[in-house]
Amino acid sequence: MAVQFNLLPDVKLEFQQQQRLKRMVYAISMLAVAFALALFILSFFIVNVLQKELISSANNDIKTYSNKLKAIPNLDKVLTIQNQLNALPSLHQQKHITSRLLTYLPQITPVKVNIGKLSIDNSANTMDIQGTADTIQSVNKFVDTLKFTYYTINNDSTTKKQAFSNVVLTQVDRDDKQATYTIDLSFDPALFGASQAVQLVVPQETTTRSVQDSPNPSSLFNGQTATPKTGQQGSQ
């Protein structure tokens, strides 16, 4: 059995351990410095060499394609027409489809009420209705129908909203034969919007032409037909 003796003093052993630790720290520090230096060189190369080359190449491409565009005859006119064509769909969605009146009127007009003149202002979303009826009671029924008529979008009950507001019977008169009236009102522009399908919800207690009479709107008018005022955008 061999016996080993450590003849080095404790101070010497501690010194050797510190030297090894020192060399390890130096090695790690040198690796960190080398990595930082490599990163710096790479960043310097990207910013001052590669990026400048890419910018120069992009500028050359811009000049080349700009010259090709300038060589196209009447380019300004072509772009103007193209922009106008791109704007047509949005303009179409914004226009008022006033022809829907031919569907709405039979639904909201009582049987004994006739319309002599109907004017629409699409810019103010207002309507003026003038006509005749058999009695003043029929006129009042017409006013109440307008006040309590709602609409839905795509038959969705959650979208139910009031169709007409500010309904005012501004003039009413009665002679031996019939009653005459003038009604002013505001309407929700969604009723005539081109981007959605609208269905009217008319009070059931009101008997209108769509229930008892022919749905042909020509039977409603005993005078001139609907007249659009300034601001009408179109119909389909």
Side-chain angles (χ1 to χ4, degrees):
M1 179 178 180
V3 179
Q4 295 182 353
F5 295 95
N6 187 1
L7 302 179
L8 293 175
D10 293 339
V11 175
K12 184 66 174 179
L13 290 174
E14 292 179 0
F15 176 76
Q16 289 180 347
Q17 290 175 356
Q18 291 178 356
Q19 288 295 106
R20 286 195 296 270
L21 181 61
K22 184 177 180 181
R23 287 193 294 271
M24 184 181 298
V25 171
Y26 282 160
I28 294 174
S29 299
M30 291 300 295
L31 288 175
V33 170
F35 178 77
L37 182 61
L39 185 62
F40 171 77
I41 294 174
L42 179 62
S43 301
F44 181 84
F45 174 78
I46 292 175
V47 172
N48 293 278
V49 179
L50 183 60
Q51 191 173 32
K52 289 183 177 180
E53 181 64 25
L54 292 175
I55 293 174
S56 177
S57 177
N59 289 332
N60 292 333
D61 289 341
I62 292 173
K63 291 180 181 179
T64 300
Y65 289 118
S66 296
N67 292 332
K68 289 182 179 180
L69 290 174
K70 292 178 180 178
I72 299 176
N74 299 321
L75 177 62
D76 293 339
K77 295 181 179 179
V78 173
L79 292 178
T80 300
I81 294 174
Q82 183 64 40
N83 289 333
Q84 292 175 345
L85 291 175
N86 291 334
L88 286 178
S90 62
L91 293 175
H92 176 72
Q93 297 297 327
Q94 296 173 7
K95 75 178 184 179
H96 286 72
I97 307 179
T98 51
S99 61
R100 287 181 180 174
L101 274 174
L102 302 179
T103 302
Y104 296 155
L105 289 177
Q107 299 179 51
I108 61 176
T109 308
V111 176
K112 300 298 183 179
V113 176
N114 293 307
I115 297 175
K117 180 180 180 182
L118 190 152
S119 301
I120 305 174
D121 189 341
N122 285 329
S123 61
N125 297 324
T126 58
M127 191 181 301
D128 178 86
I129 305 174
Q130 301 177 27
T132 61
D134 60 336
T135 62
I136 295 179
Q137 287 77 10
S138 296
V139 175
N140 291 330
K141 184 184 296 185
F142 189 22
V143 173
D144 290 339
T145 302
L146 293 170
K147 289 181 178 179
F148 296 102
T149 294
Y150 295 84
Y151 72 90
T152 60
I153 298 174
N154 298 325
N155 285 321
D156 184 1
S157 60
T158 61
T159 62
K160 186 177 179 181
K161 295 182 180 179
Q162 188 172 9
F164 307 104
S165 59
N166 302 320
V167 181
V168 179
L169 180 61
T170 57
Q171 183 179 354
V172 63
D173 197 6
R174 181 75 169 88
D175 58 22
D176 295 337
K177 296 182 179 180
Q178 61 187 5
T180 59
Y181 67 88
T182 300
I183 300 174
D184 292 331
L185 58 89
S186 299
F187 61 86
D188 192 321
L191 294 175
F192 303 101
S195 61
Q196 51 198 7
V198 178
Q199 296 82 30
L200 291 186
V201 181
V202 182
Q204 295 298 320
E205 63 271 14
T206 302
T207 303
T208 60
R209 290 177 180 268
S210 63
V211 177
Q212 289 194 357
D213 200 10
S214 169
N216 185 2
S218 62
S219 63
L220 290 171
F221 296 95
N222 58 3
Q224 70 181 83
T225 57
T227 304
K229 295 184 179 179
T230 303
Q232 182 178 356
Q233 299 178 7
S235 63
Q236 73 176 28

